[in-house]
């Protein structure tokens, strides 16, 4: 069974700092990997999706990388802002089924 | 564009009561999912429907039933609620399970269920 881990569970940084969130998965047979943002009391919003054949995706201040062979992905946030405060989750889609496996998330607080 | 809509947003149940969570999507997606989210445990799949007319158990199906009413709607039923089912429930949908590009998953806003 695919296991997805996110470290750290919580992170607090001052505004303007660049930061990296980590996601690791146990089974490299994935179809794609997605990063989501979840605000308190809300659903999940997709930030970036990386296909298994890709190495990275960028959207604005966000950059996600994927190293499938080592079972790792990182989400890089440049010049963090207080509005970036949220929980960030990664999810992998199985290569053989119709399931998405989620990590437990990293709770990010950006201090003004 | 509504996306994925789920109701109710909040519900308090007594142990043993039954209820149905409703979910509808307007994106013409084939696949729909029900997850529960608990502190420290992440999102866990309860049931999913790969396409209209099919349903399959996920990681934590016990105590739940689902119905894929049509392509748009996928409901989750608790027949006899237990305190262990206190959780936040999310409905989600995605395009066909096929090797197409994208295939992102879209979530509803969540339903907060408390069983006392």
């Amino acid at each position: 069974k695919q296991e997805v881990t996110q470290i750290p569970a919580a992170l607090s940084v001052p505004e303007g700092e660049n930061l990296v969130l980590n996601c690791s998965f146990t089974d490299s047979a994935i179809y794609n990997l997605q990063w989501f943002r979840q605000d308190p009391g809300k659903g999940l919003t997709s930030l970036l999706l990386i296909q298994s054949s890709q190495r990275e995706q960028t959207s604005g201040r966000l950059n996600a990388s994927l190293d499938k062979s080592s079972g790792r992905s990182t989400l890089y946030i440049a010049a963090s802002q207080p509005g970036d405060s949220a929980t960030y989750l990664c999810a992998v889609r199985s290569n053989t089924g119709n399931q998405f496996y989620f990590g437990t998330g990293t709770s990010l607080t950006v201090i003004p | 564009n509504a996306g994925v809509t789920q109701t109710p947003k909040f519900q308090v149940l007594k142990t043993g009561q039954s209820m149905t969570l409703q979910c509808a999507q307007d994106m013409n997606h084939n696949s729909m999912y029900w997850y529960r989210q608990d502190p420290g445990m992440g999102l866990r799949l309860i049931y999913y429907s790969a396409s209209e007319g099919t349903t399959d158990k996920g990681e934590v199906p016990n105590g739940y039933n689902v119905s894929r009413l049509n392509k748009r709607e996928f409901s989750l039923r608790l027949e006899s609620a237990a305190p262990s089912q206190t959780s936040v429930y999310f409905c989600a949908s995605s395009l066909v399970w096929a090797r197409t590009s994208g295939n992102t998953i879209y979530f509803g806003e969540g339903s907060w269920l408390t069983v006392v």
Side-chain angles (χ1 to χ4, degrees), chain B residues 45-57:
Chain B
L45 183 65
I46 305 171
Y47 270 94
Y48 69 100
S49 170
S51 61
E52 186 180 355
T54 69
T55 61
D56 287 283
K57 294 178 181 179

Side-chain angles (χ1 to χ4, degrees), chain A residues 1 30-32 34 36 38-49 51-52 87 89 91 93-105, chain B residues 9 31 33 35 37 40-43 45 48-51 57-59 90 94-110 112:
Chain A
K1 175 182 173 285
I30 65 168
Y31 181 52
N32 62 36
Q34 262 181 284
F36 293 86
Q38 185 177 27
D39 292 290
K42 298 290 186 181
L44 281 69
T45 301
S46 180
L47 296 173
L48 289 165
L49 181 147
Q51 300 290 357
S52 61
T87 296
L89 296 97
R93 184 168 193 173
S94 167
N95 207 23
T96 57
N98 197 27
Q99 295 198 29
F100 297 78
Y101 297 91
F102 286 82
T104 52
Chain B
K9 180 110 175 158
S31 302
Y33 312 81
Y35 289 89
Q37 186 177 36
M41 303 195 73
L43 280 153
L45 183 65
Y48 69 100
S49 170
S51 61
K57 294 178 181 179
E59 186 182 353
F90 287 98
S94 71
L95 204 51
V96 296
W97 177 57
R99 292 185 179 271
T100 57
S101 63
N103 252 329
T104 190
I105 182 170
Y106 296 85
F107 282 83
E109 294 268 291
W112 273 251

